[in-house]
Amino acid sequence: MDSRRLLVFREVAHAGSLAGAARALGWTQPAVSQQVRRLEAETGTPLVVREGRGVALTEAGRRLLRHAEAIADRLAAAEQDVAALTGLATGVVRIAAFPTAAAVLVPPALAALRERAPALEVHFTELEPPEAEAAVREGAADLAVVFRHEDDGEDVPGDLLREPLSRHAVQAVVPAGRPAPALLADLRDEPWIAGCPRCRRHLLRCARRAGFSPDVRFATDDHVVVQRLVARGLGVALLPAWALAISAQPGVAAVDLPDVDGRVVETLVRPDARRVPAVAAALEALRAAR
């Protein structure tokens, strides 16, 4: 199997069309099409099918793409290993992180990275954990900062490597001045404000363990909106301590509850990407900033 054809196939997969891949590579569309056909001949199975004005990957194509991403990572590692000898004089790293990590963890990490390697080109995108994980898997990001709740379990797909960075509490947010709850069940009769789908599932699990089903009246991902609703007495919520640290609003109180598990913050990378000096430097900066 020709590795160059694998890389052409990877461009087709990313672009979603032969024409898009041709533009990205600076080739003609027939040349790209010929490379894909030859790769299909080498593998003995179709890798793409026509879909509208573009192409979609077959099951074989999706599996082969993972290997193509690994090869691209190794080539990037080979290229940047040389740059590492001159202290990261060149290189690119693309980071994705969820919103509160983007506010708490990413700025000091990127500042330290710039001080260490001012010529390093860093790109950052704010993404929720499922989208950030997909970006790493698809090659759109080199590493992701994600979170899970402690009761989510350990089921991360084996094609990505995970490293814990830190843990912080998830707190009950109630109107200021009212008696603080001792347990989550003390809030069973309150209207609730829920956040992102992962946060809502966490709320429902914690409430189920506490013996009730929360009456969710409001849904918003905006931590400031959540606190302002709570301050007006319109409901209660669970928020991560990081969110409260960066945007604490008047009129609310945050309470640690023993029956609400916290968040674990982690990095996700493709295995071979750790060998890329720019990625390794970004991981080191994130560890130092935690």
Side-chain angles (χ1 to χ4, degrees):
M1 192 180 301
D2 190 315
S3 60
R4 292 171 298 178
R5 292 187 187 122
L6 277 173
L7 295 177
V8 172
F9 166 72
R10 175 176 176 267
E11 289 292 343
V12 172
H14 286 181
S17 70
L18 298 172
R23 285 192 296 270
L25 292 167
W27 291 17
T28 65
Q29 183 172 330
V32 171
S33 179
Q34 183 183 56
Q35 292 298 309
V36 173
R37 286 198 304 270
R38 288 182 177 176
L39 185 59
E40 289 177 328
E42 289 175 346
T43 58
T45 185
L47 301 174
V48 298
V49 292
R50 293 282 183 181
E51 186 177 78
R53 295 185 177 181
V55 295
L57 300 187
T58 63
E59 176 62 25
R62 288 192 293 271
R63 294 194 181 193
L64 188 61
L65 179 59
R66 293 184 181 180
H67 296 285
E69 296 290 5
I71 289 171
D73 285 341
R74 295 301 295 270
L75 288 174
E79 180 180 343
Q80 292 198 31
D81 271 343
V82 177
L85 295 176
T86 58
L88 289 170
T90 63
V92 177
V93 62
R94 299 160 300 166
I95 301 171
F98 63 96
T100 48
V104 173
L105 194 64
V106 172
L110 295 191
L113 196 57
R114 183 178 61 183
E115 183 175 347
R116 176 187 172 188
L120 184 64
E121 186 177 325
V122 180
H123 297 265
F124 165 68
T125 304
E126 183 181 290
L127 295 173
E128 291 290 348
E131 290 74 25
E133 180 180 318
V136 173
R137 183 170 290 108
E138 294 165 4
D142 298 304
L143 70 93
V145 181
V146 299
F147 75 85
R148 62 181 174 85
H149 295 99
E150 290 172 321
D151 62 355
D152 282 345
E154 300 287 332
D155 54 339
V156 168
D159 59 332
L160 299 180
L161 294 181
R162 177 174 64 187
E163 177 186 329
L165 282 180
S166 67
R167 178 200 177 278
H168 57 272
V170 174
Q171 299 172 303
V173 183
V174 299
R178 61 175 289 173
L183 295 170
L184 189 62
D186 295 338
L187 301 173
R188 67 168 63 243
D189 297 325
E190 301 286 344
W192 280 86
I193 306 159
C196 70
R198 181 170 292 196
C199 300
R200 179 188 285 256
R201 289 195 298 270
H202 175 242
L203 166 62
L204 295 177
R205 279 199 303 269
C206 291
R208 185 166 56 248
R209 288 198 303 261
F212 72 99
S213 178
D215 178 14
V216 177
R217 303 279 185 89
F218 308 96
T220 174
D221 290 343
D222 191 315
H223 300 141
V224 173
V225 173
V226 170
Q227 293 177 70
R228 288 183 176 272
L229 290 171
V230 172
R232 295 285 184 172
L234 297 172
V236 297
L238 295 181
L239 283 180
W242 274 9
L244 293 161
I246 61 176
S247 61
Q249 299 295 303
V252 302
V255 184
D256 286 313
L257 298 178
D259 50 351
V260 175
D261 57 308
R263 278 185 176 186
V264 178
V265 180
E266 303 168 322
T267 57
L268 290 177
V269 297
R270 297 189 302 274
D272 286 327
R274 293 181 307 169
R275 292 173 46 84
V276 178
V279 176
L283 287 169
E284 183 179 335
L286 287 166
R287 293 184 197 109
R290 61 190 170 187

